[in-house]
Amino acid sequence: MAFILNEEQQEIIQLIDDFFTREVDPHLQEWDATSEPDINVIRKAMELGFHKLDIPEEHGGSGLDLYTMSAAIECMGRHDIGFASGFTTTTAPWKIVLGMGTDEQKTWADRVFGEENKIGCFCLTEPSGGSDASAMRTTAVRDGDDYIINGTKCFITSAEYGEIFAVMAVTDKTKGAKGISCFMVDRNLPGVQVGKHEDKLGFRTSYTNEIAFQDVRVNKKWMVGPEGLGFIIAMNTLDGARLTTGTMALGLAQRALEESVKYAKERVAFGKPIIAKQGIAFMLADMEARVQVTRSMIEHTVQLIESGKPFIKEASICKMIASEYAMQNAIDAVQILGGYGCCKEYPVEKLLRDAKVLCIVEGTTQIQKDVIARHLAKEY
């Protein structure tokens, strides 16, 4: 069943589309070249509430339902995956607190993220961990009413200007994944060091940094949930993020299709627009099929979530097929544009680089297959 947006929902999507067209699109080539997005534009978007679209109204957000939110994320992804990722990740600490935090923590989060518009970061990945999050080495050792955090996180989105970090750290090494806890850490605490900004293949319109924690003292009241719940919090966060990432990938796949059709109608070869050539026409048909299949899977998963039904396997399917299909659409777009597809003045070579990153972030394609297979083993 396709999502049919009502007038109010269409106005929200139009507002987002207009902002990206006006404030983001004209700067993408520059930001991609320097890998330095303008923080002022990010702040403008936050002033419009783009980072809290799906936060409940009673907590300072717009309270969008998941159907509308998915359309909004697809719209952002169609314009630029990197810039959009800043809005889809910055509220991760806020959502964690709303889901598992104390009343005091929720009040704090509503003020910090909702009123003050501070930027949050989700700190899970480590240099030696990668896909194996349970093998993390960052530790949090109890010392009276505090925990002392030591360790390093890497590939943290928005860390360059992040202000509040949701940090997963080992509080009991003997318990494996059950010995991991979650802490809210202020960037300004002594011992927090934001490292180099990674010079990446794609997603160059967002900052990605390493963060080091050296004897960072955090009061126990900033642990979210009971001790040992951090791994579950992290996995729950990733489950939702996989649907979000898949929806952004859908936007990219749609953009690759649009650019390809536009060029194929304008480019004349052998006396006809190349869209009339069967070789090109069949490529475009395949691209459209990938978009529609991805959109249908996302809509199915959204319906499961809205109905309160299990969705972890489906979220992994969304992330897997959306990122891989986005990658294939971007490859085909470059092929259709030919030599121009390899030139930076045309958008499709950037789409190709961004799409490759989509196949890795929030769990690689291989990790998604592993998640899907484990669920199948239980179902059949």
Side-chain angles (χ1 to χ4, degrees), residues 185-198:
V185 180
D186 191 305
R187 180 197 182 108
N188 295 318
L189 287 176
V192 178
Q193 302 173 12
V194 176
K196 66 174 182 177
H197 167 42
E198 302 291 349

Side-chain angles (χ1 to χ4, degrees), residues 257 261 279-291 329 336:
L257 171 63
V261 172
I280 300 297
F282 281 10
M283 290 175 71
L284 294 173
D286 285 339
M287 294 171 76
E288 170 69 0
R290 294 183 196 113
V291 167
N329 271 19
I336 289 170

Side-chain angles (χ1 to χ4, degrees), residues 107-173:
T107 300
W108 164 82
D110 290 346
R111 174 178 55 80
V112 168
F113 295 111
E115 298 174 15
E116 299 177 11
N117 286 335
K118 288 194 174 182
I119 296 172
C121 300
F122 178 62
C123 301
L124 175 65
T125 305
E126 299 189 357
S128 60
S131 297
D132 186 5
S134 64
M136 70 176 59
R137 298 180 180 178
T138 297
T139 59
V141 178
R142 185 70 180 265
D143 182 27
D145 288 337
D146 299 330
Y147 284 85
I148 309 300
I149 300 178
N150 281 282
T152 301
K153 301 293 183 178
C154 64
F155 303 132
I156 307 303
T157 301
S158 301
E160 183 84 8
Y161 40 76
E163 296 160 286
I164 302 293
F165 304 142
V167 181
M168 307 300 154
V170 177
T171 48
D172 189 337
K173 295 181 180 179

